[in-house]
């Protein structure tokens, strides 16, 4: 096993040295392409999608150019937009959305060295649309503009009066509705909310979490008292908090907030992303991505509280380095940042050199998860360890069956470690390092940061405030989402955590390491090399500070834990854990089948 681990480490290190793309030489001078010259007129309120696309296409012949917007508002409708079939990770199944044709507002395809300079412009989207796609590009920078929706996919209703049997709600001015048969329908520009998901914000505790309230209201008689003011006849015992707001959206992820696919060195700078339908900013099989001063949150003057129907920032199968710096995230019905790969399950072995692998999660399939020359690991789901590695020499995908990929390898398959129907294949080449710094995250209904990559992870100088789930969750999964394998180098330092984990997932832990292995014990370590240092963690109630399963070489030191006299650490099947030098009350450690757990040198605040 030590030999296999050394081979894997050598493969991971060597992959960081591989060139990913050949970068073409830029133009001698920075040409400027103005969207106004192609017919896009600011503040005209007419559909500018075709004019802007003509300007984008002109940049293809001008490497290094600047695509410039004059200040103002540009309206972008689906009519005339580029339509392209793209399979996107974590979006929709064949049942939820059979067609993978996306409607793209700004389709940036095959561009080299282009900077989009917004000059403070607002791109106002209409209908169901992916606002921007950076597709097969090199060195593209998106800078200094805002993206919003005239009618966001999320509806917002606020309780203005609560009385026995009668409730009055006010709808946000951007929320559209009609009443059919005394029932309320939430409608938009060419769509209607059919499969609703409801998250409620309560101002008394500033919590944002799943709610059954819409299930009650949608089944009750309603009448319009005045435009935007609705009265419901409700059960006598239904007494929600006055001032609370329901955010309701459709669960089907037909589009995404932004797509960065098959591209290298994409930079998002000084952007205001005010709403995103479906999954948020998705980077898929791209290399080197930077987000700097990107604000994913409603406009402060809009009165809205929801900015994304799902994750804010999602990375699937990327490589190189991901840098997320000085960004603000507020109001998502899913995670803030999710970085992962995809585990495919082996369904058959095809001779000595080949196998067939299958996408297992219903919302992730159809994309090219492997390339010739990629190094892969064979993962045992029971242990979640990488048992062997191999190099891909051939890839075949069948358009008639987008769930399966046929792989061949440059050497015979390793003996004794592949069991069809059980073993998974993980792509080690397409795994990134991650740095998240100086960011603020709040009003999040699930988790803050999820990261499963074998390369270095640094999470520092951030503020996690009232994240409903675990603020930082490290999984490693070949059972549910089938997302990636073990973490071996993670540092979490100098962050502030305030009242996280109130939905009690992972026992309400602020930080959790929870791989999906079923063989749990200190002799089966999955994650390792985790240092949690010099953070301030403010706990409400008796929630755990850390929940860790199958983790080795775990260090928790120099932290300040406030709000509880007996900070709780839950450890399952861990080894070589040190809890030392912290400012906190007397720690309480619950451990199961652990080895070498040291608690020493902690002082009371």
């Amino acid at each position: 096993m030590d030999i296999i681990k050394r081979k894997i480490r050598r493969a991971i290190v060597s992959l960081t040295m591989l060139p990913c793309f050949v970068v073409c030489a830029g133009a001698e001078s920075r040409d400027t392409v103005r969207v106004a010259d192609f017919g896009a007129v600011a503040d005209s309120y007419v559909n500018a999608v075709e004019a802007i696309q003509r300007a984008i296409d002109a940049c293809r012949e001008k490497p290094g150019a600047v695509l410039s917007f004059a200040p103002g508002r540009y309206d972008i409708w689906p009519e005339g937009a580029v339509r392209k079939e793209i399979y996107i990770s974590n979006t929709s199944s064949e049942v939820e959305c059979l067609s993978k044709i996306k409607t793209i507002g700004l389709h940036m395809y095959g561009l080299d060295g282009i900077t989009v300079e917004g000059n403070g412009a607002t791109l106002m989207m209409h209908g169901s649309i992916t606002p921007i796609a950076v597709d097969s590009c090199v060195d593209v920078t998106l800078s200094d503009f805002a993206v919003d929706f005239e009618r966001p996919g999320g509806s917002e209703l606020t309780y203005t009066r609560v009385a026995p049997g009668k409730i009055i709600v006010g709808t946000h001015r951007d929320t559209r509705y009609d009443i059919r048969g005394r029932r309320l329908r939430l409608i938009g520009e060419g769509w209607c909310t059919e499969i609703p998901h409801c998250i409620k914000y309560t101002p008394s505790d500033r919590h944002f979490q799943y709610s059954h309230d819409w299930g009650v209201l949608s089944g009750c008689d309603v009448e319009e008292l005045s435009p935007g003011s609705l009265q419901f006849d409700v059960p006598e015992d239904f007494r929600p908090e006055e001032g609370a707001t329901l955010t309701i959206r459709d669960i089907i992820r037909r589009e995404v907030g932004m797509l960065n696919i098959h591209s290298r060195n994409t930079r998002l700078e000084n952007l205001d992303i005010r709403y995103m339908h479906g999954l948020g900013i998705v980077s898929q099989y791209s290399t080197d991505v930077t987000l700097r001063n990107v604000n994913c949150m409603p406009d402060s003057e809009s009165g809205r509280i929801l900015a994304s129907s799902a994750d804010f920032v999602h990375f699937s199968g990327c490589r190189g380095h991901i840098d997320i710096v000085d960004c603000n995230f507020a109001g998502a019905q899913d995670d803030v940042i999710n970085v992962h790969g995809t585990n495919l399950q082996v369904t058959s072995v095809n001779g000595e050199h080949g196998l067939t692998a299958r996408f297992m999660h219903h919302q992730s399939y159809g994309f090219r998860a492997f390339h010739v020359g990629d190094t892969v690991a064979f993962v045992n789901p029971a242990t979640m360890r990488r048992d062997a590695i191999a190099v891909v020499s051939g890839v075949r995908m069948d358009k008639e069956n987008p769930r399966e990929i046929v792989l061949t390898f440059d050497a015979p398959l390793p003996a004794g470690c592949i069991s069809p129907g059980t073993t998974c294949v993980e792509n080690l080449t397409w795994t990134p390092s991650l740095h998240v710094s100086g960011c603020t995250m709040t009003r999040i209904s699930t988790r803050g940061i999820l990261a499963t990559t074998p390369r270095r992870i640094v999470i520092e100088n951030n503020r996690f405030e009232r994240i409903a789930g675990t603020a930082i969750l490290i999984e490693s999964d070949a059972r549910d989402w089938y997302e990636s394998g073990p973490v071996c180098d993670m540092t979490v330092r100098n962050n502030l955590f305030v009242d996280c984990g109130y939905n009690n997932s992972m026992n309400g832990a602020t930080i959790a390491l929870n791989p999906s292995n079923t063989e749990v014990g200190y002799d089966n370590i999955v994650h390792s090399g985790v240092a949690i240092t010099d953070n301030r963690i403010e706990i409400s109630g008796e929630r755990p500070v850390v929940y860790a399963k199958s983790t080795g070489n775990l260090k928790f030191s120099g932290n300040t834990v406030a709000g509880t006299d007996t900070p709780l650490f839950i450890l399952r099947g861990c080894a070589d854990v040190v809890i030392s030098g912290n400012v906190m009350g007397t720690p309480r450690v619950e451990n199961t089948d652990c080895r070498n757990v040291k608690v020493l040198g902690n002082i009371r605040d």
Side-chain angles (χ1 to χ4, degrees), residues 434-456:
L434 172 67
H435 178 228
V436 182
S437 176
C439 298
T440 299
M441 310 170 203
T442 189
R443 204 163 64 244
I444 306 300
S445 63
T446 54
R447 290 73 55 101
I449 298 175
L450 285 76
T452 47
T453 174
R455 304 185 197 274
R456 181 152 174 73

Side-chain angles (χ1 to χ4, degrees), residues 132-143:
I132 301 171
V134 179
D135 184 354
S136 306
C137 295
V138 178
D139 293 331
V140 166
T141 298
L142 309 179
S143 176

